[in-house]
Amino acid sequence: MAKYGEGDKRWIVEERPDGANVHNWHWAETDCLPWSKMFFTKSLSDLTILDGQGNLRIKTKKVEKVDGEAYVNIRKGKVIPGYEISLSVSWEGEAKDGEGKTLLKAEGNLEIPYISDENADEDPEVKVTVKDEGPIGKALKEAMLAKGKPLVLEKVRDFVQAMAKGGPVKDELEAKKSAPKTNTTTSNSNSAAVSKEKVGVEKEPKKEVEKEGKKGFKTITMSEKFNCRAKDMYEILMDENRWKGFTQSNARISKEVGGQFSIFDGSVTGINLELQEGKLIAQRWRFGSWPDGIDSTVRLVFNEPEPGVTIIKLTHLDVPEEDRYGNATVVENTERGWRDLIFNKIRAVFGFGI
């Protein structure tokens, strides 16, 4: 499991406490170790195991440590948890005789050395120790194993389920998903009211909505230079196996006009509009996080001013300013995606840097 904060930053949307995947170029990653410490501290501290049964009283004291890595990745609306943690819990017990006199008070430790997302469907190993290894101390230890272990494992399963739902970003994710529905409902209600009141002038409101919608789109332009022939760059951008190689993600690309393509594990889909080998790629692009019905147009013009030097001029038209969740960083992340995840990756992988 990759450690939090040590992955390829070009795939990470940093400083996003809402955990939302603001654009399908990136993973949205949230550090969940502090939240994990709070979760286990709350659920495993001062937990009663036995309260007089068999003349034994046992309870946990506090969570001594929670170490390791824990994070949640969000991509395409999917929660992908990752964690490798260990924890240690102190406990105390008391044994009494039949008359209620204390025979022994003892302290011990409960340790779970490895809780991992890779073994989420299995209960982890639980170790119990006691400081007094005499006969009564061992009886307390066995009672802690028999009665305490199942309770602790139940709390671990609660943690696994909570992480699967998003951990600390669960509420924010649900809020993001519900926000567009509320806006849509309000918008539809307002439109219906206008239609009822102004049936005779139905065309005018439609034109106004159309004009307002165009204000929410931007155009991205870039010019990039590569140390290669134009036909080589064209082939790389139109070959699905090479896409898989430099992006480390799945791709399906048709080389025919009118053919469809899917890149970045399906995050981006579209259609080839115009293709001129070594000269032009024109495509319709759509990101899965965009509002329904919105497409953009990509034009890549290849110029080779001298043999072995290629200049690509990118024009990306009609990029929406907000995604379906209301995140207003779409244009910024799309531009970063072109630069860092496509152009710079091609330079690094194929040695076309200048």
Side-chain angles (χ1 to χ4, degrees):
M1 184 189 76
K3 292 185 177 181
Y4 175 82
E6 293 186 5
D8 186 343
K9 292 187 176 181
R10 287 167 294 199
W11 284 96
I12 306 299
V13 176
E14 297 181 298
E15 298 179 358
R16 291 290 306 190
D18 59 3
N21 184 11
V22 299
H23 210 273
N24 282 323
W25 290 103
H26 305 275
W27 297 87
E29 185 169 295
T30 300
D31 183 7
C32 297
L33 187 59
W35 175 86
S36 301
K37 291 179 178 179
M38 291 177 60
F39 181 95
F40 283 117
T41 297
K42 183 178 179 180
S43 59
L44 291 179
S45 297
D46 200 26
L47 179 65
T48 298
I49 307 300
L50 288 173
D51 191 19
Q53 299 93 323
N55 294 325
L56 300 177
R57 295 182 182 275
I58 300 175
K59 73 170 187 175
T60 62
K61 295 173 65 179
K62 65 178 182 177
V63 175
E64 300 293 340
K65 67 174 183 177
V66 177
D67 293 334
E69 303 286 338
Y71 59 79
V72 165
N73 282 322
I74 310 295
R75 194 179 188 207
K76 295 166 63 178
K78 183 178 180 181
V79 176
I80 306 172
Y83 47 89
E84 287 182 355
I85 59 178
S86 62
L87 64 86
S88 176
V89 182
S90 58
W91 63 274
E92 61 184 9
E94 181 181 12
K96 296 184 177 182
D97 61 16
E99 298 178 356
K101 294 181 179 180
T102 298
L103 298 175
L104 178 71
K105 288 184 177 181
E107 295 182 344
N109 191 67
L110 180 146
E111 181 182 359
I112 303 181
Y114 191 66
I115 303 173
S116 170
D117 60 282
E118 295 178 355
N119 303 316
D121 57 344
E122 303 175 7
D123 286 335
E125 178 187 10
V126 177
K127 298 179 179 180
V128 175
T129 59
V130 66
K131 292 181 179 179
D132 189 316
E133 287 290 350
I136 300 177
K138 288 182 178 180
L140 286 168
K141 174 184 174 181
E142 292 301 320
M144 181 63 182
L145 269 172
K147 300 297 182 180
K149 178 180 175 180
L151 291 177
V152 171
L153 288 177
E154 181 181 342
K155 303 301 181 183
V156 172
R157 287 190 287 269
D158 290 344
F159 168 79
V160 170
Q161 293 175 7
M163 285 290 288
K165 293 178 181 179
V169 301
K170 176 176 177 289
D171 293 339
E172 289 86 344
L173 282 172
E174 292 179 350
K176 287 287 184 183
K177 289 180 180 179
S178 62
K181 296 180 181 179
T182 303
N183 294 339
T184 302
T185 304
T186 304
S187 177
N188 290 342
S189 300
N190 292 340
S191 298
V194 171
S195 298
K196 289 180 181 179
E197 294 174 7
K198 300 183 179 180
V199 176
V201 289
E202 183 179 357
K203 292 184 179 179
E204 287 303 318
K206 284 187 177 179
K207 288 181 181 178
E208 291 176 6
V209 171
E210 217 170 38
K211 289 178 181 177
E212 289 176 3
K214 289 297 181 182
K215 293 180 182 178
F217 296 83
K218 297 290 184 181
T219 296
I220 296 171
T221 58
M222 299 176 68
S223 181
E224 299 285 327
K225 185 182 290 187
F226 299 86
N227 188 18
C228 67
R229 302 301 299 265
K231 64 181 183 65
D232 295 330
M233 278 298 299
Y234 179 92
E235 289 174 0
I236 288 172
L237 291 170
M238 292 302 298
D239 184 85
E240 61 185 43
N241 289 322
R242 297 184 189 183
W243 262 93
K244 292 176 184 177
F246 75 79
T247 65
Q248 294 297 296
S249 62
N250 291 321
R252 290 183 295 104
I253 302 174
S254 169
K255 297 183 179 181
E256 304 294 329
V257 173
Q260 299 182 350
F261 66 88
S262 171
I263 54 179
F264 291 111
D265 293 326
S267 296
V268 180
T269 56
I271 297 174
N272 296 325
L273 301 176
E274 186 178 356
L275 300 173
Q276 298 178 29
E277 186 173 358
K279 295 181 179 180
L280 173 68
I281 296 174
Q283 297 171 322
R284 182 180 299 141
W285 276 45
R286 170 172 170 75
F287 294 79
S289 61
W290 289 1
D292 294 338
I294 291 180
D295 296 296
S296 64
T297 301
V298 167
R299 288 182 63 85
L300 293 163
V301 178
F302 300 77
N303 293 315
E304 193 171 340
E306 59 181 278
V309 176
T310 296
I311 296 175
I312 294 181
K313 292 185 178 180
L314 162 71
T315 305
H316 197 157
L317 301 161
D318 297 329
V319 178
E321 293 182 340
E322 293 187 355
D323 64 13
R324 66 169 71 243
Y325 308 109
N327 296 302
T329 54
V330 174
V331 176
E332 174 189 349
N333 287 317
T334 301
E335 183 175 357
R336 185 185 300 131
W338 275 109
R339 184 179 61 251
D340 294 343
L341 301 183
I342 297 179
F343 295 141
N344 285 346
K345 290 287 276 187
I346 289 175
R347 288 188 180 97
V349 173
F350 298 100
F352 293 165
I354 290 183

